[in-house]
Amino acid sequence: MSRDTDLLDAIQTYFDALYACDLSLFDQIFHPACSLFDVDEGAITVDPIADYRNVIAERESPASCSQEREDEIILIDWLSQAAATVKVRLRIHANVFIDHLCFVKGIDGWRIVAKVWHLESVRASS
């Protein structure tokens, strides 16, 4: 497989993990030392991956609600053959997020080592 195909497959695993709240896919795509960052009203929040994993474990999955998939790749910025930053947009229930995902490719394939996210919008329930 090419570098591009491998990374695209990893991004799809990310989308699938969050859409289905599938912890096996979650563990496959996130590096165990990954941290998540966001800023709300000027305060920077840092969450270790274990905390985010618990959120996913307890969340009702969009798949279980038959929510239509809304996930897209906005940008891939290659840092090297084994490192890339990916900007994506995805919807989880009413929330639309923009994520910057830092991927590195090691012996286990492409893994997310850092995630910076932003709640772009909240949609009214239909």
Side-chain angles (χ1 to χ4, degrees):
M1 286 190 165
S2 74
R3 161 190 89 162
D4 296 345
T5 302
D6 289 346
L7 182 58
L8 291 173
D9 288 347
I11 296 165
Q12 188 61 53
T13 299
Y14 171 74
F15 288 145
D16 293 346
L18 295 187
Y19 181 73
C21 294
D22 183 323
L23 294 179
S24 66
L25 292 177
F26 184 94
D27 293 340
Q28 192 178 352
I29 199 61
F30 281 97
H31 188 278
C34 180
S35 292
L36 291 80
F37 303 85
D38 77 310
V39 63
D40 188 22
E41 298 179 16
I44 297 172
T45 302
V46 182
D47 293 314
I49 195 63
D51 290 356
Y52 185 49
R53 189 179 192 281
N54 289 337
V55 168
I56 298 301
E58 295 174 8
R59 175 186 286 162
E60 180 181 21
S61 75
S64 70
C65 303
S66 299
Q67 176 184 313
E68 187 174 328
R69 300 256 331 222
E70 293 181 45
D71 36 51
E72 66 175 308
I73 299 168
I74 299 169
L75 171 78
I76 297 175
D77 184 14
W78 291 97
L79 303 166
S80 71
Q81 292 293 320
T85 300
V86 178
K87 181 178 182 180
V88 299
R89 177 181 288 114
L90 69 159
R91 182 174 165 211
I92 305 292
H93 303 295
N95 298 322
V96 178
F97 296 98
I98 297 285
D99 296 341
H100 280 233
L101 308 170
C102 295
F103 278 89
V104 295
K105 185 175 184 180
I107 196 163
D108 295 325
W110 288 101
R111 306 284 294 271
I112 299 167
V113 295
K115 173 179 172 173
V116 179
W117 63 274
H118 169 69
L119 177 60
E120 182 181 54
S121 64
V122 177
R123 295 190 183 166
S125 300
S126 34

